[in-house]
Amino acid sequence: MSDDTNPFESLQSQIEDAANYLDIGDDVIERLKHPERVLETNLTIERDDGDLERFKAFRSQFNGDRGPYKGGIRYHPQVSRDEVKALSGWMTYKTAIVDIPLGGGKGGIVIDPDDYSESELERLTRSFARELRPMIGEDRDVPAPDVNTGQREMNWIKDTYETLENTTEPGVITGKAIDSGGSAGRVEATGRSTVLAAREAFDYLDKDLEGATVAVQGYGNAGWIAAKLIDEMGATVVAASDSTGGIYNPDGFDPVAAKDHKIETGSVVGYEESEEELTNEDVLTLDVDLLIPAALENAVDADLAADVEADVISEAANGPLTPAADEVLEGKDVFVIPDILANAGGVTVSYFEWVQNRQRFSWSEERVNEELETIIVDAFNALVETYEEHDLENPRTAAYVVAIQRVADAFEEAGSWP
Ligand code: NAD
């Protein structure tokens, strides 16, 4: 991270920007700026050597006006109460902009999972699942994977919950392996929406995606899939980076081979088709048509934004631009497709997984991808309509205007509890 902006303050300032264009009372807006509740807990597990170790963990349930809380669980040393609150708020407005009947939540454990064995991570995950049990459930709160968690952790959480509840309820969690009730297309969904949104933006801006140059910061699940799919759409991926550094080839490289190199060696650096090694900051400021930030929050602050040369940014990561960076990019006419739309493929296919679990009926990957495309294109069109209607400078504000209105409508239509 190049900036220590508090992500929860970023979320609140994004909501305040959008509120200027909404006919919603300050009291309702105030409610929509804060989570409904946050669980903070300490998990103590036995290490493989017999010692005990304590870990701090959180689950924030931001808003449930439109449906069960929905959002991932992150394992990272930088997890904090405010980060989890911010991420849960972004989830609320993400499920609203893509108009799926879910609210927003998020969880995390403060840990660097690389330092722990698989059995230690299993004990920790099951311990967190026991803490979460009273607040989760397919009609209450449905967690999913996020940074450093995946199918393995989701399967452990599902098994712990189902064992303790003496039931089968696969819809309690999404992002599961296919054989445990997961959905076709879930692993690729975030990268897929990132590039579908980019495709729509290029079309809207009358720019050609064929041959467009692309840089991808962060080469994990979201980043490398976005690189692969945009390459398949005819664009040229020229740069990529991960936490160890970046690679560059002005003529483009094979994004799948770069991912294979990362899996083999732990890093994209050293990949044979790379002509030059770059720093992370170099990758973010390359002169490309499309930049895809796909790592963590606050990757681009105002200083770095001044050097950004991309024409379009599609935010695969959550919160990669600080509000100050947003302002600088606005002044430079960079078209930013906000995270709540660009990376909404993950939660949208999680929603499809939840629907399939409840129906006890699996969809084909083709159907999943088609339904996802319809939802992302509709959300992009809703964003553009509001962007033009209010003559907005920033597509992010347009997305929040649409999303906040939908959440506020659900809240107000519900009436008040005496
Ligand atoms: P991941 O753990 O699979 O990948 C993260 C990648 O970022 C890794 O390659 C890591 O090396 C890299 N990275 C970390 N710090 C970096 C730095 N300072 N500079 C450059 N690269 C760095 O995680 P993911 O699931 O791909 O998630 C990435 C982002 O996408 C997060 O913001 C996450 O919240 C968001 N997101 C993910 C999903 C999903 O379904 N996976 C859905 C929505 C949003």
Side-chain angles (χ1 to χ4, degrees), residues 151 178 183-196 221-229 232 342-346 349 365 368-369 372:
Q151 293 181 344
I178 300 273
S183 175
R186 172 62 184 86
V187 173
E188 298 81 19
T190 302
R192 187 174 293 278
S193 65
T194 303
V195 305
L196 285 171
N221 175 267
W224 94 260
I225 300 271
K228 171 179 161 259
L229 296 175
E232 286 171 8
N343 71 31
V349 176
E365 183 165 354
V368 167
N369 290 342
L372 173 63

Side-chain angles (χ1 to χ4, degrees), residues 369-385:
N369 290 342
E370 272 174 24
E371 303 247 10
L372 173 63
E373 181 163 356
T374 304
I375 283 188
I376 296 300
V377 171
D378 286 353
F380 187 84
N381 291 339
L383 178 154
V384 163
E385 200 179 303

Side-chain angles (χ1 to χ4, degrees), residues 74 146 186 190 219-222 242-243 262 280 294-295 316-318:
R74 174 177 292 198
D146 192 69
R186 172 62 184 86
T190 302
Y219 218 61
N221 175 267
D242 59 27
S243 51
K262 180 172 163 67
N280 244 297
N318 285 307

Side-chain angles (χ1 to χ4, degrees), residues 1-2 74-76 78 87 91 94 106 144-149 186-191 193 216-224 241-245 262 266 268 280-281 284 293-297 299 315-320 339 342-347 350:
M1 280 202 231
S2 54
R74 174 177 292 198
Y75 289 1
H76 197 275
Q78 278 164 9
L87 290 162
M91 286 306 299
K94 190 179 301 187
K106 203 79 173 193
D146 192 69
V147 175
N148 290 328
T149 61
R186 172 62 184 86
V187 173
E188 298 81 19
T190 302
S193 65
V216 182
Q217 181 242 9
Y219 218 61
N221 175 267
W224 94 260
S241 68
D242 59 27
S243 51
T244 59
K262 180 172 163 67
V268 288
N280 244 297
E281 299 202 343
L284 291 163
L296 295 174
E297 302 91 87
E315 294 184 325
N318 285 307
D339 47 8
N343 71 31
V347 72
S350 272

Side-chain angles (χ1 to χ4, degrees), residues 2 4 24 47-48 56 65 69 89 179 232 244 253 264 271 304 321 327 353 357 359 391 396 411:
S2 54
D4 57 5
I24 298 176
R47 299 286 310 263
D48 291 341
K56 197 175 271 299
D65 293 334
Y69 308 100
D179 290 332
E232 286 171 8
T244 59
F253 55 80
E264 265 167 44
Y271 169 53
L304 202 62
L321 312 183
E327 251 176 64
E353 180 177 334
N357 290 158
Q359 293 177 332
D391 198 16
R396 189 188 312 283
F411 171 64

Side-chain angles (χ1 to χ4, degrees), residues 27-62:
D27 48 352
V28 175
I29 291 293
E30 184 60 18
R31 176 176 182 276
L32 299 180
K33 280 165 60 182
H34 295 273
E36 290 173 15
R37 67 190 65 80
V38 182
L39 168 80
E40 178 173 337
T41 180
N42 288 292
L43 308 170
T44 301
I45 60 144
E46 190 175 311
R47 299 286 310 263
D48 291 341
D49 64 7
D51 285 351
L52 298 180
E53 188 167 342
R54 178 190 64 87
F55 300 85
K56 197 175 271 299
F58 305 92
R59 180 78 185 167
S60 169
Q61 295 182 330
F62 196 91

Side-chain angles (χ1 to χ4, degrees), residues 311-323:
D311 300 327
V312 178
I313 298 180
S314 190
E315 294 184 325
N318 285 307
L321 312 183
T322 66

